[in-house]
Amino acid sequence: MTDDEHADWATGGESAGPHERRRERAAGRLDAVGAAGLIAFPSRNLQYLTGFAEEPGERHFFLVVPAAAAGEPEPALLVPALYETQVREATTIGEIRTWSDGDDPVAATRELLADRGLDSGRLLVDDTMWARFTQDLRAAAPDATWGLAGEALADLRVRKDEAELAALRSAAGVADAVVGDLRDLGADAVGMTEAALADWIADRLAERGGRGVSFETVVAAGENGAKPHHGHGDREIRAGEPVVLDFGTRVDGYPSDQTRTLAFGGDPPEAYREVHEVVREAQAAGVEAVGPGVPASAVDRAAREVIEAAGYGDAFVHRTGHGVGLDVHEEPYLVAGNDRPLEPGMVCSVEPGVYLDGRFGCRIEDLVVVTKDGCERLNRTDRGWE
Ligand code: GLY
Ligand code: MN
């Protein structure tokens, strides 16, 4: 898809709202992959297609989207009765069926699938659907064959429309503002535990308009920084040691995800400063490489070459980046072997790191949107350790 094509695609053109447009496109994608329909449960796919966000629970809750080839039958929801009002308010789905506690939800599911002509054929279910629900779907449609919804939806979700880009920009702005707050905190962070600083970050994210945290906040001080997904613990922050700070929040359902490695209340040792400079150059090289038509793997290579040339290749223990959308980690993955060309509207992280066991870690991460002639950074704050 070119940038002009993406601009048309991203803004729609039809009068339908974003969720209706996404359901229509999903129905077309189902045809393209030879599926009769898809079934989502409370998941990011359901949120993408309806606007309704809910955590999975023990009650049966399904969105059914038939393929366009079936004569464009309407999508439908089957929801627990206690959800009916909020689902009606939050979505534009025409048919919402309910079942009440004490009813048989599998019988209601069987009836809905049969009414939509989805009691046979190939049906795609959420990649994240709990096994107990996939088992009940098999019982409700014993003649169907099964696949995963990502087959149809990943190619839609990978390019962001205007509503998604606006939310991602806002969420990134909140995270950037909190990086500023952390720099202002300065020496006052010394003596705080990682956990206390993680709570402090969560409070600042909320104050600045974010909703919750988009993943467990990483505050990894000193040697803990060598574990890329350390989270946070009881370790106290010491003056001048590098602290890996990787955090995000959500705005309008979309997350931020950025990392800075900072030193509070003093300068870090020379050995760290050298590593920080290498990672900063690698991150710049990765961002520089992002553009339309560039294989995802080439961005990984561009960042990795800088780190390898400095002699730290073995210490860069993860891919250079991942796509970001409703899921914090989604396609496209910037990793060796993924030669998929980047396209306008894709959003991904660029986050090289160096991790030296028992000593320290350093990671610098920004989100970028692929544009027609390169990329736009969503995170713009300084990348230094100060
Ligand atoms: N934070 C690096 C990764 O999970 O890819
Ligand atoms: Mn990330």
XYZ file of all heavy atoms in Angstrom, residues 46-105:
463
model
N -11.784 -8.094 19.317
C -13.166 -7.643 19.544
C -13.196 -6.131 19.742
O -14.063 -5.434 19.203
C -13.767 -8.373 20.750
C -15.262 -8.112 20.973
C -15.998 -9.432 21.247
C -15.498 -7.153 22.117
N -12.230 -5.614 20.463
C -12.138 -4.155 20.669
C -11.917 -3.454 19.330
O -12.535 -2.425 19.038
C -10.982 -3.865 21.634
C -10.860 -2.416 22.038
C -9.718 -2.195 23.042
O -9.076 -3.144 23.490
N -9.474 -0.952 23.385
N -11.037 -4.007 18.499
C -10.740 -3.413 17.192
C -11.995 -3.373 16.321
O -12.243 -2.391 15.610
C -9.655 -4.249 16.513
C -9.227 -3.742 15.152
C -8.379 -2.644 15.025
C -9.664 -4.379 13.992
C -7.982 -2.184 13.776
C -9.271 -3.926 12.739
C -8.427 -2.823 12.636
O -8.040 -2.373 11.405
N -12.786 -4.416 16.394
C -13.932 -4.543 15.475
C -15.211 -3.896 16.007
O -16.144 -3.648 15.235
C -14.195 -6.026 15.175
C -13.098 -6.716 14.354
C -13.305 -8.225 14.329
C -13.031 -6.157 12.937
N -15.290 -3.648 17.317
C -16.537 -3.113 17.888
C -16.344 -1.855 18.731
O -17.316 -1.144 18.994
C -17.214 -4.150 18.818
O -16.394 -4.313 19.982
C -17.428 -5.482 18.135
N -15.142 -1.621 19.240
C -14.928 -0.510 20.170
C -15.179 -0.901 21.612
O -14.939 -0.106 22.514
N -15.642 -2.130 21.839
C -15.941 -2.551 23.207
C -14.737 -3.300 23.785
O -14.288 -4.300 23.224
C -17.174 -3.456 23.234
C -17.613 -3.802 24.632
C -18.197 -2.846 25.452
C -17.423 -5.078 25.142
C -18.586 -3.146 26.756
C -17.822 -5.396 26.441
C -18.397 -4.423 27.238
N -14.216 -2.784 24.911
C -13.042 -3.393 25.535
C -13.467 -4.083 26.819
O -14.122 -3.471 27.663
C -11.995 -2.327 25.842
N -13.104 -5.343 26.963
C -13.441 -6.066 28.182
C -12.412 -7.176 28.387
O -11.869 -7.707 27.408
C -14.860 -6.671 28.055
C -15.328 -7.497 29.216
C -15.374 -6.743 30.543
O -14.536 -5.862 30.812
O -16.252 -7.047 31.341
N -12.122 -7.463 29.643
C -11.228 -8.579 29.941
C -11.991 -9.880 29.742
O -13.194 -9.940 29.989
C -10.762 -8.510 31.400
C -9.897 -7.305 31.728
C -8.620 -7.280 30.907
O -7.959 -8.325 30.781
O -8.300 -6.194 30.362
N -11.311 -10.944 29.315
C -11.989 -12.240 29.219
C -12.471 -12.688 30.596
O -11.833 -12.396 31.606
C -10.900 -13.197 28.716
C -9.753 -12.362 28.307
C -9.887 -11.016 28.951
N -13.596 -13.354 30.628
C -14.127 -13.894 31.876
C -14.698 -15.269 31.621
O -14.599 -15.805 30.514
N -15.336 -15.827 32.659
C -15.804 -17.209 32.524
C -17.095 -17.341 31.719
O -17.460 -18.426 31.294
C -15.989 -17.829 33.920
C -17.206 -17.339 34.706
C -17.016 -15.956 35.332
O -16.045 -15.250 34.992
O -17.892 -15.573 36.143
N -17.770 -16.199 31.480
C -19.040 -16.276 30.750
C -18.801 -16.227 29.234
O -17.920 -15.517 28.772
C -19.962 -15.122 31.147
C -20.493 -15.190 32.568
C -21.476 -14.054 32.790
N -22.172 -14.149 34.069
C -21.778 -13.529 35.180
N -20.687 -12.789 35.183
N -22.482 -13.654 36.284
N -19.624 -16.920 28.478
C -19.497 -16.963 27.022
C -19.895 -15.612 26.426
O -20.993 -15.113 26.708
C -20.389 -18.067 26.450
C -19.943 -19.442 26.860
N -19.911 -19.847 28.167
C -19.496 -20.482 26.125
C -19.458 -21.084 28.233
N -19.212 -21.503 26.999
N -19.015 -15.044 25.613
C -19.196 -13.700 25.064
C -18.531 -13.738 23.692
O -17.303 -13.806 23.592
C -18.492 -12.703 26.004
C -18.705 -11.239 25.718
C -19.013 -10.365 26.761
C -18.584 -10.708 24.445
C -19.193 -9.008 26.525
C -18.760 -9.364 24.205
C -19.062 -8.510 25.235
N -19.331 -13.772 22.636
C -18.768 -13.963 21.290
C -19.236 -12.888 20.322
O -20.423 -12.528 20.299
C -19.190 -15.319 20.710
C -18.656 -16.517 21.447
C -19.509 -17.539 21.856
C -17.298 -16.637 21.720
C -19.029 -18.654 22.527
C -16.807 -17.755 22.399
C -17.672 -18.765 22.803
N -18.316 -12.426 19.492
C -18.640 -11.646 18.293
C -18.491 -12.591 17.103
O -17.472 -13.279 16.987
C -17.657 -10.482 18.122
C -17.713 -9.768 16.754
C -19.002 -8.939 16.627
C -16.481 -8.877 16.560
N -19.502 -12.589 16.222
C -19.469 -13.440 15.033
C -19.480 -12.529 13.810
O -20.371 -11.692 13.675
C -20.708 -14.367 15.027
C -20.794 -15.142 13.724
C -20.655 -15.307 16.215
N -18.467 -12.671 12.958
C -18.410 -11.875 11.713
C -18.395 -12.850 10.535
O -17.391 -13.545 10.328
C -17.157 -10.976 11.666
C -17.137 -10.156 10.369
C -17.104 -10.054 12.871
N -19.485 -12.919 9.770
C -19.473 -13.808 8.598
C -18.665 -13.193 7.457
O -18.515 -11.961 7.379
C -20.955 -13.907 8.201
C -21.721 -13.323 9.349
C -20.808 -12.332 9.995
N -18.133 -14.029 6.567
C -17.395 -13.554 5.396
C -18.335 -12.801 4.469
O -19.541 -13.076 4.430
C -16.764 -14.733 4.663
N -17.770 -11.859 3.691
C -18.589 -11.066 2.767
C -19.241 -11.962 1.716
O -20.363 -11.699 1.273
C -17.726 -10.002 2.102
N -18.555 -13.049 1.313
C -19.065 -13.908 0.235
C -20.395 -14.548 0.607
O -21.144 -14.983 -0.270
C -18.053 -14.993 -0.083
N -20.710 -14.605 1.874
C -21.951 -15.253 2.311
C -23.157 -14.343 2.075
O -24.238 -14.561 2.642
C -21.837 -15.620 3.778
N -23.005 -13.293 1.235
C -24.137 -12.394 0.976
C -24.194 -11.295 2.015
O -25.251 -10.707 2.253
N -23.058 -11.024 2.645
C -22.923 -9.972 3.649
C -23.930 -10.065 4.788
O -24.592 -9.079 5.113
C -22.972 -8.592 2.979
C -22.006 -8.532 1.807
C -21.437 -7.156 1.566
O -21.740 -6.266 2.355
O -20.685 -7.008 0.605
N -24.064 -11.244 5.413
C -24.888 -11.288 6.618
C -24.257 -10.420 7.704
O -23.049 -10.253 7.746
C -24.869 -12.762 7.020
C -23.682 -13.339 6.364
C -23.386 -12.522 5.148
N -25.098 -9.855 8.556
C -24.632 -8.911 9.576
C -23.826 -9.619 10.654
O -24.173 -10.731 11.068
C -25.847 -8.279 10.257
C -26.548 -7.252 9.416
C -25.699 -5.999 9.246
O -25.252 -5.448 10.266
O -25.470 -5.598 8.091
N -22.778 -8.962 11.152
C -22.126 -9.469 12.363
C -23.125 -9.479 13.521
O -24.121 -8.739 13.496
C -21.022 -8.456 12.617
C -20.809 -7.749 11.334
C -22.138 -7.743 10.643
N -22.865 -10.291 14.506
C -23.749 -10.353 15.672
C -22.924 -10.606 16.929
O -21.818 -11.136 16.851
C -24.774 -11.464 15.490
N -23.497 -10.204 18.053
C -22.868 -10.476 19.348
C -23.760 -11.388 20.160
O -25.000 -11.256 20.121
C -22.670 -9.173 20.124
C -21.439 -8.331 19.792
C -21.613 -6.904 20.309
C -20.172 -8.944 20.399
N -23.152 -12.308 20.875
C -23.858 -13.080 21.899
C -23.191 -12.723 23.216
O -21.991 -12.984 23.388
C -23.726 -14.582 21.623
C -24.302 -15.487 22.713
C -25.830 -15.358 22.783
C -23.912 -16.946 22.472
N -23.938 -12.093 24.137
C -23.309 -11.593 25.369
C -24.111 -12.028 26.588
O -25.329 -12.250 26.498
C -23.182 -10.043 25.367
C -22.461 -9.559 24.116
C -24.519 -9.348 25.502
N -23.445 -12.150 27.726
C -24.173 -12.398 28.968
C -25.167 -11.248 29.204
O -24.830 -10.078 28.961
C -23.087 -12.397 30.041
C -21.802 -12.609 29.303
C -21.991 -12.013 27.950
N -26.375 -11.566 29.684
C -27.440 -10.558 29.780
C -26.991 -9.334 30.582
O -27.389 -8.212 30.279
C -28.685 -11.182 30.400
N -26.145 -9.543 31.587
C -25.773 -8.390 32.425
C -24.924 -7.371 31.681
O -24.737 -6.257 32.147
C -25.077 -8.844 33.718
C -23.651 -9.381 33.657
C -23.052 -9.421 35.055
C -23.571 -10.749 33.035
N -24.407 -7.734 30.492
C -23.620 -6.799 29.679
C -24.455 -6.055 28.646
O -23.943 -5.175 27.948
C -22.518 -7.552 28.920
C -21.298 -7.851 29.749
C -21.214 -9.013 30.498
C -20.235 -6.961 29.783
C -20.096 -9.291 31.263
C -19.108 -7.225 30.544
C -19.048 -8.391 31.289
O -17.945 -8.655 32.054
N -25.734 -6.412 28.505
C -26.477 -5.954 27.332
C -26.452 -4.425 27.165
O -26.136 -3.914 26.091
C -27.932 -6.445 27.386
C -28.684 -6.013 26.144
C -30.114 -6.546 26.088
O -30.569 -7.193 27.068
O -30.776 -6.290 25.074
N -26.782 -3.690 28.221
C -26.901 -2.235 28.079
C -25.570 -1.616 27.686
O -25.482 -0.797 26.761
C -27.404 -1.614 29.391
O -28.616 -2.269 29.742
C -27.675 -0.130 29.235
N -24.488 -2.024 28.360
C -23.214 -1.367 28.055
C -22.729 -1.726 26.659
O -22.129 -0.890 25.976
C -22.166 -1.646 29.140
C -21.575 -3.027 29.214
C -20.891 -3.277 30.548
O -21.526 -3.731 31.501
N -19.588 -3.028 30.612
N -23.024 -2.940 26.185
C -22.605 -3.316 24.832
C -23.424 -2.545 23.797
O -22.900 -2.085 22.787
C -22.729 -4.843 24.640
C -22.510 -5.228 23.186
C -21.715 -5.560 25.518
N -24.713 -2.372 24.059
C -25.551 -1.582 23.129
C -25.056 -0.144 23.051
O -25.031 0.461 21.992
C -27.021 -1.574 23.581
C -27.794 -2.744 23.105
C -29.296 -2.613 23.253
N -29.845 -3.959 23.243
C -29.897 -4.738 22.167
N -29.476 -4.292 21.002
N -30.372 -5.960 22.257
N -24.674 0.407 24.201
C -24.207 1.796 24.215
C -22.857 1.951 23.518
O -22.592 2.964 22.878
C -24.086 2.298 25.660
C -25.430 2.611 26.274
C -25.351 2.946 27.759
O -24.244 2.935 28.337
O -26.421 3.191 28.341
N -22.022 0.930 23.633
C -20.624 1.085 23.177
C -20.397 0.660 21.735
O -19.360 0.984 21.160
C -19.690 0.275 24.080
N -21.341 -0.070 21.122
C -21.085 -0.606 19.782
C -22.220 -0.252 18.823
O -23.290 0.193 19.238
C -20.966 -2.151 19.799
O -22.281 -2.734 19.878
C -20.125 -2.652 20.956
N -21.951 -0.467 17.542
C -22.996 -0.264 16.527
C -23.421 -1.603 15.924
O -23.963 -1.640 14.819
C -22.476 0.649 15.395
O -21.259 0.080 14.867
C -22.187 2.056 15.900
N -23.163 -2.687 16.634
C -23.560 -4.021 16.130
C -25.094 -4.099 16.147
O -25.726 -3.807 17.166
C -22.968 -5.126 17.032
C -21.450 -5.083 16.983
C -23.519 -6.495 16.649
C -20.811 -5.751 15.800
N -25.675 -4.484 15.006
C -27.132 -4.474 14.873
C -27.816 -5.530 15.715
O -28.849 -5.272 16.331
N -27.267 -6.719 15.738
C -27.940 -7.783 16.503
C -27.114 -8.174 17.719
O -25.966 -8.614 17.597
C -28.166 -9.024 15.637
C -28.934 -10.064 16.438
C -29.389 -11.277 15.648
O -29.140 -11.324 14.431
O -29.990 -12.164 16.268
N -27.727 -7.983 18.880
C -27.077 -8.378 20.134
C -27.992 -9.377 20.815
O -29.101 -9.034 21.225
C -26.822 -7.153 21.035
C -25.873 -6.176 20.320
C -26.242 -7.586 22.379
C -25.721 -4.829 20.992
N -27.545 -10.631 20.875
C -28.323 -11.659 21.588
C -27.762 -11.794 22.993
O -26.568 -11.543 23.212
C -28.215 -13.008 20.877
C -28.795 -12.990 19.485
C -28.857 -14.394 18.924
N -29.299 -14.344 17.540
C -29.569 -15.402 16.802
N -29.426 -16.621 17.316
N -29.964 -15.274 15.554
N -28.610 -12.204 23.891
C -28.147 -12.367 25.266
C -28.474 -13.760 25.769
O -29.378 -14.429 25.255
C -28.824 -11.348 26.208
O -30.232 -11.579 26.198
C -28.538 -9.916 25.784
N -27.728 -14.186 26.761
C -28.082 -15.392 27.509
C -27.936 -15.042 28.984
O -27.120 -14.193 29.351
C -27.213 -16.591 27.117
C -25.742 -16.433 27.427
C -24.794 -15.826 26.669
C -25.071 -16.881 28.615
N -23.579 -15.846 27.288
C -23.714 -16.504 28.484
C -25.477 -17.565 29.761
C -22.766 -16.786 29.464
C -24.532 -17.847 30.733
C -23.192 -17.448 30.586
N -28.783 -15.638 29.802
C -28.799 -15.310 31.230
C -28.130 -16.412 32.029
O -28.134 -17.585 31.617
C -30.244 -15.171 31.725
O -30.861 -14.103 31.046
N -27.558 -16.018 33.178
C -26.997 -17.031 34.082
C -28.079 -18.087 34.314
O -29.240 -17.749 34.596
C -26.598 -16.394 35.423
C -25.391 -15.457 35.271
O -24.733 -15.498 34.217
O -25.130 -14.680 36.215
N -27.717 -19.343 34.195
C -28.702 -20.427 34.328
C -29.116 -20.982 32.977
O -29.565 -22.125 32.882
N -28.969 -20.173 31.883
C -29.220 -20.703 30.526
C -28.020 -21.540 30.090
O -26.954 -21.483 30.702
C -29.360 -19.562 29.505
C -30.612 -18.731 29.714
O -31.496 -19.164 30.475
O -30.678 -17.628 29.117
N -28.206 -22.228 28.947
C -27.103 -22.998 28.384
C -26.431 -22.154 27.291
O -26.981 -22.010 26.189
C -27.643 -24.308 27.783
C -26.539 -25.103 27.085
O -25.386 -24.643 27.077
O -26.855 -26.178 26.542
N -25.245 -21.565 27.554
C -24.627 -20.685 26.556
C -24.185 -21.434 25.305
O -24.087 -20.836 24.229
C -23.435 -20.087 27.302
C -23.143 -21.041 28.407
C -24.429 -21.690 28.783
